Amino acid sequence: MAKLIYSMITSLDGYAEDDLFRPVGTYLYGRWMYETMVYWETAHTEPDQPPHILRYARDWQAAEKIVYSTSVVGGGKRFFPDGVRLDLELVEERAFGSGLIYARYRTR
């Protein structure tokens, strides 16, 4: 069974540290967030992009993306049945000077 790591890689003011998300292989997005992030599919084609933007665009393009939504046409099987709640325990937390917070949980 694969290991699922849930992360939010941004500070409250919108900054991120790319070393933390470079090893991410699959992104899980809600429809609206994906519609925001799809910019990165073509960001490398815009003129005069700085190197860090080009690097992030390439990393994002290389990752697999799974988009889920309850607001678009269609349906499907939910991952968790109705009423299921996970009992999570915070096992590690780090705060960085930039405002980034790393939090790792495990099921109890």
Side-chain angles (χ1 to χ4, degrees):
M1 178 178 290
K3 184 177 184 180
L4 173 65
I5 300 171
Y6 175 82
S7 65
M8 297 181 64
I9 306 168
T10 186
S11 64
L12 294 177
D13 58 356
Y15 289 91
E17 175 57 49
D18 66 350
D19 290 339
L20 295 177
F21 60 73
R22 183 159 289 147
V24 173
T26 304
Y27 292 97
L28 302 176
Y29 287 118
R31 180 181 57 90
W32 290 351
M33 181 55 76
Y34 177 77
E35 288 174 356
T36 300
M37 297 299 291
V38 77
Y39 162 80
W40 296 104
E41 282 294 329
T42 58
H44 65 285
T45 64
E46 294 187 21
D48 302 321
Q49 292 284 24
H52 69 279
I53 294 294
L54 295 173
R55 183 176 59 241
Y56 182 81
R58 287 187 190 108
D59 290 344
W60 192 84
Q61 292 165 11
E64 179 182 13
K65 290 124 192 118
I66 297 173
V67 181
Y68 58 91
S69 178
T70 59
S71 63
V72 296
V73 176
K77 190 174 188 179
R78 293 182 57 175
F79 186 75
F80 294 113
D82 287 339
V84 169
R85 293 183 52 93
L86 298 177
D87 186 17
L88 300 176
E89 174 186 10
L90 179 65
V91 294
E92 184 180 359
E93 180 179 13
R94 288 184 273 163
F96 299 89
S98 64
L100 179 79
I101 296 173
Y102 167 80
R104 184 168 64 96
Y105 294 86
R106 71 172 166 225
T107 55
R108 294 180 199 237

